[in-house]
Amino acid sequence: MYKPMITGIAPQDKDDSQELANAAWKSALATAVRDPRELLALLNLNEKKYLDKISVNEKFKLLVPLSYVAKMKKSDWHDPLLRQVLPLKDEAIKAFGFLSDPVGDLNAEVSSGVLQKYHGRVLLITTGACAVHCRYCFRRHFPYANSVPDKAQWQQTLASIKSDKTVTEVILSGGDPLMLSDERLRSMCQDLATIPHITTLRFHTRVPLFLPERVTAYFIQWLSELKVKVVMVLHANHANELDSEFASIMRKFSQCGVVLLNQSVLLKNINDDADNLVLLSQRLFECGILPYYLHQLDKVQGAAHFEVSNDKVQRLQQQLRERLPGYLVPRFVKEVSGKRYKQPLE
Ligand SMILES: *Cc1c(COP(=O)(O)O)cnc(C)c1O
Ligand code: SF4
Protein backbone atom coordinates (compact mmCIF):
# COMPACT_ATOMS: atom_id res chain seq x y z
CA MET A 1 0.00 0.00 0.00
CA TYR A 2 2.50 2.67 1.05
CA LYS A 3 5.29 0.91 -0.78
CA PRO A 4 6.87 3.13 -3.41
CA MET A 5 8.71 5.29 -0.91
CA ILE A 6 12.13 5.38 -2.47
CA THR A 7 11.98 3.07 -5.43
CA GLY A 8 9.87 4.36 -8.27
CA ILE A 9 11.32 7.84 -7.97
CA ALA A 10 13.95 8.07 -10.65
CA PRO A 11 14.19 11.48 -12.23
CA GLN A 12 16.44 11.79 -15.26
CA ASP A 13 17.90 15.20 -14.55
CA LYS A 14 20.78 16.36 -16.68
CA ASP A 15 21.54 19.38 -14.54
CA ASP A 16 23.93 18.76 -11.63
CA SER A 17 22.38 21.16 -9.12
CA GLN A 18 19.02 19.63 -9.80
CA GLU A 19 20.46 16.19 -9.25
CA LEU A 20 21.97 17.27 -5.95
CA ALA A 21 18.68 18.78 -4.84
CA ASN A 22 16.88 15.56 -5.69
CA ALA A 23 19.49 13.50 -3.89
CA ALA A 24 18.99 15.68 -0.79
CA TRP A 25 15.30 14.97 -0.42
CA LYS A 26 15.66 11.32 -1.27
CA SER A 27 18.34 10.95 1.32
CA ALA A 28 16.15 12.77 3.88
CA LEU A 29 13.50 10.20 3.11
CA ALA A 30 15.92 7.30 3.29
CA THR A 31 17.09 8.38 6.75
CA ALA A 32 13.54 8.94 8.04
CA VAL A 33 12.84 7.18 11.33
CA ARG A 34 11.04 3.87 10.94
CA ASP A 35 12.00 2.19 14.21
CA PRO A 36 10.16 3.25 17.38
CA ARG A 37 13.29 2.53 19.43
CA GLU A 38 15.25 5.04 17.39
CA LEU A 39 12.51 7.63 17.82
CA LEU A 40 12.46 7.16 21.61
CA ALA A 41 16.24 7.46 21.75
CA LEU A 42 16.30 10.64 19.67
CA LEU A 43 13.79 12.22 22.03
CA ASN A 44 15.48 11.05 25.24
CA LEU A 45 12.45 8.96 26.13
CA ASN A 46 13.03 5.90 28.26
CA GLU A 47 12.62 2.77 26.14
CA LYS A 48 11.77 0.56 29.11
CA LYS A 49 8.98 2.85 30.16
CA TYR A 50 7.39 3.55 26.77
CA LEU A 51 8.16 0.80 24.26
CA ASP A 52 5.35 -1.24 25.71
CA LYS A 53 2.76 1.34 24.67
CA ILE A 54 3.84 1.34 21.03
CA SER A 55 2.39 -1.03 18.47
CA VAL A 56 4.18 -2.67 15.59
CA ASN A 57 1.72 -2.05 12.81
CA GLU A 58 3.09 -3.90 9.81
CA LYS A 59 0.74 -2.36 7.27
CA PHE A 60 1.04 1.28 8.31
CA LYS A 61 4.37 1.58 10.07
CA LEU A 62 6.02 4.41 11.89
CA LEU A 63 7.49 6.81 9.35
CA VAL A 64 8.81 10.27 10.22
CA PRO A 65 11.68 12.26 8.71
CA LEU A 66 14.40 13.61 11.01
CA SER A 67 13.63 17.27 10.25
CA TYR A 68 10.20 16.78 11.81
CA VAL A 69 11.63 14.90 14.80
CA ALA A 70 13.84 17.96 15.34
CA LYS A 71 10.72 20.07 15.90
CA MET A 72 9.54 17.83 18.74
CA LYS A 73 10.28 18.63 22.38
CA LYS A 74 12.81 16.31 23.99
CA SER A 75 11.72 14.10 26.89
CA ASP A 76 8.05 14.88 26.30
CA TRP A 77 5.93 11.78 25.78
CA HIS A 78 2.90 14.05 25.18
CA ASP A 79 4.54 16.23 22.53
CA PRO A 80 1.79 17.16 20.01
CA LEU A 81 4.03 16.43 17.03
CA LEU A 82 5.17 13.08 18.36
CA ARG A 83 1.56 12.08 18.95
CA GLN A 84 0.67 12.62 15.30
CA VAL A 85 3.16 10.00 14.15
CA LEU A 86 3.55 7.54 17.01
CA PRO A 87 1.74 4.20 16.53
CA LEU A 88 0.18 3.52 19.92
CA LYS A 89 -1.33 0.22 20.97
CA ASP A 90 -4.59 2.20 21.30
CA GLU A 91 -4.90 1.82 17.53
CA ALA A 92 -5.98 -1.77 18.02
CA ILE A 93 -9.12 -0.69 19.90
CA LYS A 94 -12.15 -1.61 17.82
CA ALA A 95 -14.45 1.34 18.37
CA PHE A 96 -18.07 1.36 17.26
CA GLY A 97 -18.66 3.33 14.06
CA PHE A 98 -14.99 3.53 13.07
CA LEU A 99 -14.69 2.11 9.54
CA SER A 100 -11.98 1.33 7.00
CA ASP A 101 -13.43 3.76 4.40
CA PRO A 102 -15.22 6.34 6.58
CA VAL A 103 -15.77 8.99 3.91
CA GLY A 104 -17.00 6.77 1.08
CA ASP A 105 -13.94 7.24 -1.14
CA LEU A 106 -14.36 3.91 -2.85
CA ASN A 107 -17.89 4.82 -3.97
CA ALA A 108 -16.72 8.18 -5.31
CA GLU A 109 -14.24 6.76 -7.83
CA VAL A 110 -15.41 7.86 -11.29
CA SER A 111 -12.46 6.15 -12.93
CA SER A 112 -9.40 4.50 -11.48
CA GLY A 113 -7.74 6.96 -9.08
CA VAL A 114 -10.17 9.80 -9.90
CA LEU A 115 -12.61 10.70 -7.11
CA GLN A 116 -15.49 13.07 -7.64
CA LYS A 117 -17.80 13.98 -4.83
CA TYR A 118 -18.38 17.65 -5.53
CA HIS A 119 -19.42 19.79 -8.47
CA GLY A 120 -16.63 21.28 -10.58
CA ARG A 121 -13.65 19.55 -9.01
CA VAL A 122 -12.09 16.11 -9.11
CA LEU A 123 -9.48 14.65 -6.81
CA LEU A 124 -6.66 12.51 -8.16
CA ILE A 125 -4.91 9.81 -6.18
CA THR A 126 -1.46 10.45 -7.67
CA THR A 127 0.55 8.13 -5.43
CA GLY A 128 0.17 6.05 -2.30
CA ALA A 129 3.40 7.34 -0.78
CA CYS A 130 3.71 9.95 1.97
CA ALA A 131 6.72 11.48 3.75
CA VAL A 132 5.10 10.59 7.06
CA HIS A 133 2.46 8.23 8.33
CA CYS A 134 -0.11 10.29 10.24
CA ARG A 135 -1.82 7.97 12.68
CA TYR A 136 -5.28 9.48 12.19
CA CYS A 137 -5.14 9.34 8.38
CA PHE A 138 -8.54 8.52 6.88
CA ARG A 139 -6.87 6.92 3.89
CA ARG A 140 -4.75 4.55 5.96
CA HIS A 141 -6.70 1.57 4.64
CA PHE A 142 -7.15 2.84 1.07
CA PRO A 143 -6.20 0.24 -1.57
CA TYR A 144 -3.71 2.48 -3.36
CA ALA A 145 -2.22 -0.26 -5.49
CA ASN A 146 -5.45 -0.35 -7.51
CA SER A 147 -5.72 3.39 -7.98
CA VAL A 148 -2.31 4.94 -8.58
CA PRO A 149 -2.07 5.63 -12.31
CA ASP A 150 0.62 4.03 -14.46
CA LYS A 151 1.37 5.54 -17.86
CA ALA A 152 -1.48 3.82 -19.66
CA GLN A 153 -3.98 4.63 -16.93
CA TRP A 154 -2.88 8.26 -16.97
CA GLN A 155 -4.13 8.59 -20.54
CA GLN A 156 -7.49 7.26 -19.40
CA THR A 157 -7.53 9.68 -16.47
CA LEU A 158 -6.84 12.59 -18.80
CA ALA A 159 -9.53 11.43 -21.20
CA SER A 160 -12.06 11.22 -18.40
CA ILE A 161 -11.24 14.76 -17.20
CA LYS A 162 -11.32 16.10 -20.77
CA SER A 163 -14.73 14.61 -21.37
CA ASP A 164 -16.39 16.47 -18.50
CA LYS A 165 -16.42 20.20 -19.16
CA THR A 166 -18.06 20.95 -15.82
CA VAL A 167 -14.76 20.16 -14.08
CA THR A 168 -12.63 23.30 -13.70
CA GLU A 169 -10.32 22.30 -10.85
CA VAL A 170 -8.14 19.24 -10.38
CA ILE A 171 -6.89 18.37 -6.91
CA LEU A 172 -3.65 16.41 -6.79
CA SER A 173 -3.79 14.28 -3.70
CA GLY A 174 -2.71 10.83 -2.57
CA GLY A 175 -0.81 9.88 -0.51
CA ASP A 176 1.14 13.04 -1.10
CA PRO A 177 1.63 14.34 -4.65
CA LEU A 178 4.98 15.91 -3.71
CA MET A 179 6.37 12.41 -3.26
CA LEU A 180 6.42 12.07 -7.03
CA SER A 181 9.52 13.04 -8.95
CA ASP A 182 9.52 16.45 -10.59
CA GLU A 183 9.48 14.78 -14.00
CA ARG A 184 6.32 12.85 -13.25
CA LEU A 185 4.53 15.64 -11.41
CA ARG A 186 5.49 18.30 -13.91
CA SER A 187 4.31 16.28 -16.86
CA MET A 188 1.02 15.48 -15.08
CA CYS A 189 0.48 19.17 -14.32
CA GLN A 190 1.35 20.25 -17.83
CA ASP A 191 -1.04 17.68 -19.31
CA LEU A 192 -3.81 18.91 -17.04
CA ALA A 193 -3.06 22.59 -17.65
CA THR A 194 -3.54 22.14 -21.41
CA ILE A 195 -7.17 21.04 -20.94
CA PRO A 196 -9.10 24.21 -21.81
CA HIS A 197 -11.74 23.92 -19.07
CA ILE A 198 -9.18 23.33 -16.28
CA THR A 199 -8.42 26.70 -14.69
CA THR A 200 -7.00 25.62 -11.34
CA LEU A 201 -4.63 22.97 -10.04
CA ARG A 202 -4.69 22.34 -6.34
CA PHE A 203 -2.15 20.37 -4.31
CA HIS A 204 -3.05 18.74 -1.02
CA THR A 205 0.28 18.19 0.71
CA ARG A 206 2.05 17.80 4.04
CA VAL A 207 5.50 17.41 2.48
CA PRO A 208 6.74 21.00 3.06
CA LEU A 209 6.27 20.40 6.81
CA PHE A 210 8.07 17.09 6.86
CA LEU A 211 10.50 17.07 3.98
CA PRO A 212 11.36 20.71 3.22
CA GLU A 213 14.23 19.51 0.99
CA ARG A 214 11.61 18.36 -1.51
CA VAL A 215 10.68 21.93 -2.41
CA THR A 216 13.62 22.41 -4.77
CA ALA A 217 14.34 25.49 -6.87
CA TYR A 218 13.38 23.47 -9.93
CA PHE A 219 10.01 22.56 -8.41
CA ILE A 220 9.24 26.22 -7.67
CA GLN A 221 10.37 27.14 -11.17
CA TRP A 222 8.17 24.77 -13.16
CA LEU A 223 5.26 25.38 -10.82
CA SER A 224 5.45 29.12 -11.46
CA GLU A 225 5.48 28.51 -15.21
CA LEU A 226 2.17 26.63 -15.29
CA LYS A 227 -0.53 28.48 -17.19
CA VAL A 228 -3.22 27.85 -14.59
CA LYS A 229 -3.96 29.16 -11.10
CA VAL A 230 -2.13 27.09 -8.48
CA VAL A 231 -3.49 26.51 -4.99
CA MET A 232 -1.45 24.78 -2.31
CA VAL A 233 -3.43 23.41 0.60
CA LEU A 234 -1.01 22.58 3.41
CA HIS A 235 -1.93 20.38 6.31
CA ALA A 236 -0.49 21.68 9.58
CA ASN A 237 -2.12 20.78 12.88
CA HIS A 238 0.06 22.62 15.37
CA ALA A 239 2.02 25.88 15.50
CA ASN A 240 5.20 24.01 16.49
CA GLU A 241 5.28 22.51 12.99
CA LEU A 242 5.77 25.92 11.40
CA ASP A 243 9.44 26.82 11.79
CA SER A 244 11.44 29.48 9.96
CA GLU A 245 12.55 27.11 7.19
CA PHE A 246 8.93 26.32 6.48
CA ALA A 247 8.09 30.04 6.48
CA SER A 248 10.78 30.74 3.92
CA ILE A 249 9.47 28.00 1.62
CA MET A 250 6.02 29.53 1.87
CA ARG A 251 7.44 32.93 0.92
CA LYS A 252 8.81 31.40 -2.26
CA PHE A 253 5.40 30.00 -3.15
CA SER A 254 3.72 33.34 -2.45
CA GLN A 255 6.23 35.15 -4.62
CA CYS A 256 5.19 33.12 -7.63
CA GLY A 257 1.49 33.67 -7.07
CA VAL A 258 0.56 30.37 -5.44
CA VAL A 259 -2.50 30.69 -3.18
CA LEU A 260 -1.71 29.20 0.23
CA LEU A 261 -4.35 27.61 2.46
CA ASN A 262 -4.22 25.19 5.36
CA GLN A 263 -6.41 22.37 6.51
CA SER A 264 -6.11 20.80 9.95
CA VAL A 265 -7.68 17.91 11.73
CA LEU A 266 -8.95 18.41 15.25
CA LEU A 267 -7.08 15.85 17.36
CA LYS A 268 -7.55 15.04 21.03
CA ASN A 269 -4.53 15.96 23.19
CA ILE A 270 -2.76 17.43 20.16
CA ASN A 271 -4.56 20.62 19.19
CA ASP A 272 -7.96 20.50 20.90
CA ASP A 273 -7.66 23.66 22.93
CA ALA A 274 -8.32 27.27 22.01
CA ASP A 275 -4.83 28.58 22.82
CA ASN A 276 -3.22 26.10 20.46
CA LEU A 277 -5.66 26.74 17.65
CA VAL A 278 -5.33 30.52 18.01
CA LEU A 279 -1.54 30.21 17.84
CA LEU A 280 -1.78 27.93 14.82
CA SER A 281 -3.92 30.43 12.90
CA GLN A 282 -1.63 33.32 13.81
CA ARG A 283 1.50 31.45 12.87
CA LEU A 284 -0.04 30.29 9.57
CA PHE A 285 -0.86 33.90 8.79
CA GLU A 286 2.75 34.92 9.49
CA CYS A 287 3.75 32.34 6.88
CA GLY A 288 1.31 33.82 4.35
CA ILE A 289 -1.24 31.00 4.71
CA LEU A 290 -4.94 31.36 5.47
CA PRO A 291 -6.74 28.72 7.55
CA TYR A 292 -9.24 26.91 5.34
CA TYR A 293 -10.81 23.85 6.97
CA LEU A 294 -10.63 22.44 10.47
CA HIS A 295 -11.87 18.90 9.96
CA GLN A 296 -13.55 16.87 12.58
CA LEU A 297 -11.86 13.50 12.73
CA ASP A 298 -12.97 11.03 10.09
CA LYS A 299 -14.00 7.88 11.85
CA VAL A 300 -11.34 5.59 10.51
CA GLN A 301 -10.52 2.30 12.21
CA GLY A 302 -7.59 2.73 14.59
CA ALA A 303 -8.08 6.46 15.26
CA ALA A 304 -10.75 6.46 17.96
CA HIS A 305 -8.30 7.72 20.58
CA PHE A 306 -8.03 11.03 18.65
CA GLU A 307 -11.73 11.83 18.76
CA VAL A 308 -12.89 15.11 20.28
CA SER A 309 -16.46 15.30 21.63
CA ASN A 310 -19.05 17.35 19.72
CA ASP A 311 -19.60 19.64 22.69
CA LYS A 312 -15.95 20.45 22.83
CA VAL A 313 -15.76 21.08 19.08
CA GLN A 314 -18.60 23.56 19.39
CA ARG A 315 -16.98 25.31 22.32
CA LEU A 316 -13.72 25.61 20.40
CA GLN A 317 -15.45 27.12 17.40
CA GLN A 318 -17.09 29.70 19.64
CA GLN A 319 -13.77 30.55 21.33
CA LEU A 320 -11.96 30.99 18.02
CA ARG A 321 -14.70 33.30 16.75
CA GLU A 322 -14.32 35.40 19.88
CA ARG A 323 -10.55 35.59 19.73
CA LEU A 324 -9.60 35.85 16.05
CA PRO A 325 -10.45 38.03 13.06
CA GLY A 326 -12.94 36.26 10.81
CA TYR A 327 -10.32 35.48 8.18
CA LEU A 328 -8.24 33.50 10.68
CA VAL A 329 -11.10 31.30 11.86
CA PRO A 330 -11.01 28.02 9.92
CA ARG A 331 -14.30 26.56 8.72
CA PHE A 332 -15.21 23.74 11.09
CA VAL A 333 -16.36 20.90 8.82
CA LYS A 334 -17.14 17.26 8.79
CA GLU A 335 -17.06 15.01 5.78
CA VAL A 336 -20.27 13.04 5.50
CA SER A 337 -20.36 10.24 2.98
CA GLY A 338 -22.73 11.02 0.09
CA LYS A 339 -23.11 14.79 0.82
CA ARG A 340 -22.42 17.36 -1.89
CA TYR A 341 -20.02 19.49 0.16
CA LYS A 342 -18.10 19.25 3.43
CA GLN A 343 -20.67 19.75 6.14
CA PRO A 344 -20.27 22.87 8.29
CA LEU A 345 -20.66 22.50 12.03
CA GLU A 346 -24.18 23.62 12.99
C1 LIG B 1 -12.39 17.23 0.28
C2 LIG B 1 -12.56 16.88 -1.13
C3 LIG B 1 -12.53 17.87 -2.12
C4 LIG B 1 -12.25 19.32 -1.81
O1 LIG B 1 -13.38 19.97 -1.34
P1 LIG B 1 -13.35 21.57 -1.26
O2 LIG B 1 -14.57 21.90 -0.48
O3 LIG B 1 -13.35 22.06 -2.64
O4 LIG B 1 -12.08 21.93 -0.55
C5 LIG B 1 -12.75 17.52 -3.43
N1 LIG B 1 -12.99 16.24 -3.77
C6 LIG B 1 -13.01 15.25 -2.85
C7 LIG B 1 -13.29 13.88 -3.30
C8 LIG B 1 -12.80 15.54 -1.50
O5 LIG B 1 -12.82 14.55 -0.61
S1 SF4 C 1 0.32 12.97 4.70
FE1 SF4 C 1 -1.91 12.97 4.37
S2 SF4 C 1 -2.36 11.09 3.19
FE2 SF4 C 1 -0.29 10.87 4.09
S3 SF4 C 1 -0.61 9.81 6.02
FE3 SF4 C 1 -0.63 12.00 6.48
S4 SF4 C 1 -2.81 12.60 6.39
FE4 SF4 C 1 -2.60 10.60 5.35
Side-chain angles (χ1 to χ4, degrees):
M1 160 173 166
Y2 280 85
K3 258 184 305 186
M5 303 300 310
I6 303 165
T7 51
I9 302 169
Q12 308 287 312
D13 293 333
K14 306 271 180 324
D15 184 301
D16 277 358
S17 62
Q18 234 168 275
E19 241 168 55
L20 277 177
N22 282 332
W25 74 266
K26 276 186 259 167
S27 128
L29 197 56
T31 58
V33 181
R34 291 167 170 82
D35 178 352
R37 282 192 180 85
E38 185 188 348
L39 185 56
L40 292 177
L42 285 166
L43 295 171
N44 296 340
L45 287 165
N46 185 324
E47 189 181 309
K48 282 207 190 78
K49 190 164 168 201
Y50 293 115
L51 198 59
D52 217 28
K53 301 182 195 300
I54 299 174
S55 90
V56 186
N57 183 327
E58 282 304 322
K59 286 200 190 124
F60 192 61
K61 287 186 175 176
L62 170 72
L63 175 69
V64 56
L66 287 166
S67 63
Y68 192 75
V69 178
K71 300 180 198 175
M72 297 174 185
K73 275 196 262 31
K74 292 263 164 65
S75 313
D76 184 1
W77 172 247
H78 298 288
D79 180 81
L81 278 49
L82 173 63
R83 282 311 170 96
Q84 293 181 49
V85 300
L86 189 70
L88 292 177
K89 285 205 168 131
D90 295 353
E91 291 184 9
I93 299 170
K94 292 255 183 312
F96 179 74
F98 281 72
L99 312 171
S100 69
D101 178 24
V103 295
D105 270 358
L106 290 173
N107 285 332
E109 244 183 324
V110 290
S111 67
S112 184
V114 184
L115 308 187
Q116 181 161 28
K117 292 183 182 171
Y118 310 135
H119 178 79
R121 53 237 196 259
V122 292
L123 183 147
L124 300 188
I125 303 288
T126 58
T127 169
C130 294
V132 59
H133 288 168
C134 312
R135 304 321 301 177
Y136 54 86
C137 179
F138 71 97
R139 293 214 180 100
R140 56 185 287 167
H141 307 288
F142 196 83
Y144 284 110
N146 307 334
S147 295
V148 173
D150 58 20
K151 289 245 159 68
Q153 255 179 29
W154 177 242
Q155 291 310 318
Q156 274 181 3
T157 301
L158 274 179
S160 108
I161 297 171
K162 274 183 194 154
S163 70
D164 183 353
K165 293 204 167 50
T166 64
V167 173
T168 56
E169 176 172 15
V170 177
I171 300 168
L172 296 118
S173 182
D176 199 309
L178 268 63
M179 294 299 284
L180 296 172
S181 70
D182 277 318
E183 277 51 43
R184 183 93 186 91
L185 196 54
R186 181 185 181 199
S187 95
M188 275 185 170
C189 290
Q190 286 177 337
D191 286 349
L192 292 166
T194 57
I195 302 174
H197 49 95
I198 298 302
T199 58
T200 309
L201 291 185
R202 186 198 315 184
F203 294 82
H204 280 181
T205 180
R206 291 207 91 185
V207 157
L209 295 153
F210 286 84
L211 210 62
E213 301 87 346
R214 169 64 185 91
V215 186
T216 58
Y218 178 57
F219 175 67
I220 301 268
Q221 185 206 320
W222 69 254
L223 199 67
S224 64
E225 287 167 3
L226 290 172
K227 300 274 183 281
V228 287
K229 192 80 197 154
V230 176
V231 182
M232 189 78 61
V233 181
L234 285 310
H235 171 179
N237 294 320
H238 196 282
N240 293 359
E241 295 174 324
L242 311 175
D243 61 4
S244 57
E245 186 179 16
F246 175 80
S248 86
I249 294 173
M250 293 303 114
R251 261 193 303 282
K252 289 182 199 158
F253 283 138
S254 298
Q255 277 161 5
C256 58
V258 173
V259 173
L260 297 173
L261 303 171
N262 183 66
Q263 53 183 343
S264 310
V265 180
L266 195 56
L267 299 164
K268 186 174 173 180
N269 296 331
I270 290 177
N271 60 7
D272 62 335
D273 68 85
D275 289 345
N276 263 322
L277 292 172
V278 165
L279 256 178
L280 173 61
S281 277
Q282 290 170 336
R283 183 72 188 127
L284 284 167
F285 189 53
E286 283 168 14
C287 299
I289 306 168
L290 287 176
Y292 180 38
Y293 284 143
L294 180 63
H295 296 269
Q296 278 179 269
L297 184 73
D298 294 314
K299 293 196 169 201
V300 66
Q301 245 169 47
H305 55 296
F306 289 118
E307 200 185 21
V308 179
S309 73
N310 283 340
D311 281 358
K312 185 151 192 197
V313 178
Q314 249 148 2
R315 259 199 325 276
L316 287 170
Q317 177 168 246
Q318 189 58 31
Q319 285 169 304
L320 291 201
R321 284 175 173 163
E322 287 169 7
R323 289 176 57 179
L324 287 166
Y327 59 88
L328 291 188
V329 180
R331 298 164 179 82
F332 282 60
V333 291
K334 184 166 186 56
E335 179 138 1
V336 180
S337 199
K339 296 283 186 185
R340 304 190 59 79
Y341 52 92
K342 311 225 189 267
Q343 301 297 294
L345 190 73
E346 297 308 332

Coordinates of all heavy atoms in Angstrom, one line a residue, residues 2 60 128-140 144 173-176 204-207 210 235 265, ligand 2:
Y2 N 1.6 1.5 1.0 CA 2.5 2.7 1.1 C 3.9 2.3 0.6 O 4.9 2.8 1.1 CB 2.6 3.3 2.5 CG 1.4 4.1 2.8 CD1 0.3 3.5 3.3 CD2 1.4 5.4 2.6 CE1 -0.9 4.2 3.6 CE2 0.3 6.2 3.0 CZ -0.8 5.6 3.5 OH -1.9 6.3 3.8
F60 N 1.0 -0.2 8.3 CA 1.0 1.3 8.3 C 2.0 1.7 9.4 O 1.7 2.1 10.5 CB -0.4 1.8 8.6 CG -0.5 3.3 8.3 CD1 -0.3 3.8 7.1 CD2 -0.9 4.2 9.4 CE1 -0.5 5.2 6.9 CE2 -1.1 5.5 9.2 CZ -0.9 6.0 7.9
G128 N 0.5 6.5 -3.6 CA 0.2 6.1 -2.3 C 1.2 6.5 -1.3 O 1.0 6.3 -0.1
A129 N 2.3 7.0 -1.7 CA 3.4 7.3 -0.8 C 3.2 8.7 0.0 O 2.6 9.6 -0.6 CB 4.7 7.4 -1.6
C130 N 3.7 8.7 1.2 CA 3.7 10.0 2.0 C 5.1 10.1 2.6 O 5.8 9.1 2.7 CB 2.7 9.9 3.1 SG 1.0 9.9 2.5
A131 N 5.4 11.3 3.1 CA 6.7 11.5 3.8 C 6.6 11.1 5.2 O 7.6 11.0 5.9 CB 7.1 12.9 3.6
V132 N 5.4 10.8 5.6 CA 5.1 10.6 7.1 C 3.9 9.7 7.1 O 3.1 9.7 6.2 CB 4.8 11.9 7.8 CG1 3.7 12.7 7.1 CG2 4.6 11.8 9.2
H133 N 3.7 9.0 8.2 CA 2.5 8.2 8.3 C 1.7 8.8 9.5 O 2.1 8.6 10.7 CB 2.7 6.7 8.6 CG 3.2 6.0 7.3 ND1 3.7 4.8 7.3 CD2 3.2 6.5 6.0 CE1 4.0 4.4 6.0 NE2 3.7 5.4 5.3
C134 N 0.7 9.6 9.2 CA -0.1 10.3 10.2 C -1.1 9.3 10.8 O -1.8 8.6 10.0 CB -0.9 11.5 9.7 SG 0.1 12.5 8.6
R135 N -1.1 9.1 12.1 CA -1.8 8.0 12.7 C -3.3 8.1 12.5 O -4.0 7.1 12.5 CB -1.5 7.8 14.2 CG 0.0 7.7 14.5 CD 0.8 6.8 13.6 NE 0.3 5.4 13.5 CZ 0.8 4.6 12.6 NH1 1.8 4.9 11.9 NH2 0.3 3.3 12.6
Y136 N -3.8 9.3 12.3 CA -5.3 9.5 12.2 C -5.8 9.5 10.7 O -6.9 9.7 10.5 CB -5.7 10.8 12.8 CG -4.9 12.0 12.2 CD1 -5.3 12.6 11.0 CD2 -3.6 12.3 12.7 CE1 -4.5 13.5 10.4 CE2 -2.9 13.3 12.1 CZ -3.3 13.9 11.0 OH -2.5 14.8 10.4
C137 N -4.8 9.2 9.8 CA -5.1 9.3 8.4 C -6.4 8.5 7.9 O -6.4 7.3 8.1 CB -4.0 8.9 7.5 SG -4.3 9.1 5.8
F138 N -7.3 9.2 7.3 CA -8.5 8.5 6.9 C -8.3 7.6 5.7 O -9.2 6.9 5.3 CB -9.7 9.5 6.6 CG -9.5 10.4 5.4 CD1 -10.1 10.0 4.2 CD2 -8.7 11.5 5.4 CE1 -9.9 10.8 3.0 CE2 -8.5 12.3 4.3 CZ -9.1 11.9 3.1
R139 N -7.1 7.8 5.0 CA -6.9 6.9 3.9 C -5.9 5.8 4.3 O -5.3 5.1 3.4 CB -6.3 7.7 2.7 CG -7.3 8.7 2.1 CD -7.1 8.9 0.6 NE -8.1 9.8 0.1 CZ -7.8 11.1 -0.1 NH1 -6.6 11.6 0.0 NH2 -8.7 11.9 -0.6
R140 N -5.8 5.5 5.6 CA -4.8 4.5 6.0 C -5.1 3.1 5.5 O -4.2 2.3 5.4 CB -4.5 4.6 7.5 CG -5.7 4.4 8.3 CD -5.4 4.5 9.8 NE -4.6 3.4 10.3 CZ -4.0 3.3 11.5 NH1 -4.0 4.4 12.2 NH2 -3.4 2.3 11.9
Y144 N -4.4 1.6 -2.4 CA -3.7 2.5 -3.4 C -3.2 1.7 -4.6 O -3.2 2.2 -5.7 CB -2.5 3.1 -2.7 CG -2.9 4.3 -1.9 CD1 -2.7 4.2 -0.5 CD2 -3.4 5.5 -2.4 CE1 -3.1 5.3 0.3 CE2 -3.7 6.5 -1.6 CZ -3.6 6.4 -0.2 OH -3.9 7.5 0.5
S173 N -3.8 14.8 -5.1 CA -3.8 14.3 -3.7 C -3.1 12.9 -3.7 O -2.4 12.5 -4.6 CB -5.2 14.2 -3.2 OG -5.2 13.8 -1.8
G174 N -3.4 12.1 -2.6 CA -2.7 10.8 -2.6 C -3.2 10.1 -1.3 O -4.3 10.2 -1.0
G175 N -2.2 9.6 -0.6 CA -0.8 9.9 -0.5 C -0.5 11.4 -0.6 O -1.3 12.2 -0.4
D176 N 0.7 11.7 -1.0 CA 1.1 13.0 -1.1 C 1.8 13.3 -2.5 O 2.8 12.6 -2.8 CB 2.1 13.4 0.0 CG 2.3 14.9 0.2 OD1 2.5 15.6 -0.8 OD2 2.1 15.4 1.4
H204 N -2.8 19.0 -2.4 CA -3.1 18.7 -1.0 C -1.8 18.1 -0.5 O -1.5 16.9 -0.9 CB -4.3 17.8 -0.8 CG -5.6 18.5 -0.9 ND1 -6.8 17.9 -0.7 CD2 -5.9 19.8 -1.1 CE1 -7.8 18.8 -0.8 NE2 -7.3 19.9 -1.0
T205 N -1.0 18.7 0.3 CA 0.3 18.2 0.7 C 0.7 18.5 2.1 O 0.4 19.6 2.7 CB 1.4 18.7 -0.2 OG1 2.6 18.2 0.2 CG2 1.5 20.2 -0.2
R206 N 1.4 17.6 2.7 CA 2.1 17.8 4.0 C 3.6 17.9 3.9 O 4.3 18.1 4.8 CB 1.8 16.7 5.0 CG 0.4 16.5 5.6 CD 0.3 15.9 7.0 NE 0.4 16.9 8.0 CZ 0.5 16.7 9.3 NH1 0.5 15.4 9.7 NH2 0.5 17.7 10.2
V207 N 4.0 17.6 2.7 CA 5.5 17.4 2.5 C 6.3 18.6 2.9 O 7.3 18.5 3.6 CB 5.8 17.0 1.0 CG1 7.2 17.3 0.6 CG2 5.6 15.5 0.9
F210 N 7.3 18.3 6.4 CA 8.1 17.1 6.9 C 9.4 16.9 6.1 O 10.3 16.3 6.6 CB 7.2 15.8 6.7 CG 6.1 15.7 7.7 CD1 4.9 16.4 7.5 CD2 6.3 15.0 8.8 CE1 3.9 16.3 8.5 CE2 5.3 14.9 9.8 CZ 4.1 15.6 9.6
H235 N -1.2 21.1 5.3 CA -1.9 20.4 6.3 C -1.1 20.4 7.6 O -0.3 19.5 7.9 CB -2.2 19.0 5.8 CG -2.8 18.0 6.8 ND1 -3.1 16.7 6.6 CD2 -3.1 18.2 8.2 CE1 -3.6 16.2 7.7 NE2 -3.5 17.0 8.6
V265 N -6.7 18.9 11.1 CA -7.7 17.9 11.7 C -7.7 18.2 13.2 O -6.6 18.3 13.8 CB -7.3 16.5 11.4 CG1 -8.3 15.5 12.0 CG2 -7.2 16.2 9.9
Ligands
SF4_2 S1 0.3 13.0 4.7 FE1 -1.9 13.0 4.4 S2 -2.4 11.1 3.2 FE2 -0.3 10.9 4.1 S3 -0.6 9.8 6.0 FE3 -0.6 12.0 6.5 S4 -2.8 12.6 6.4 FE4 -2.6 10.6 5.4

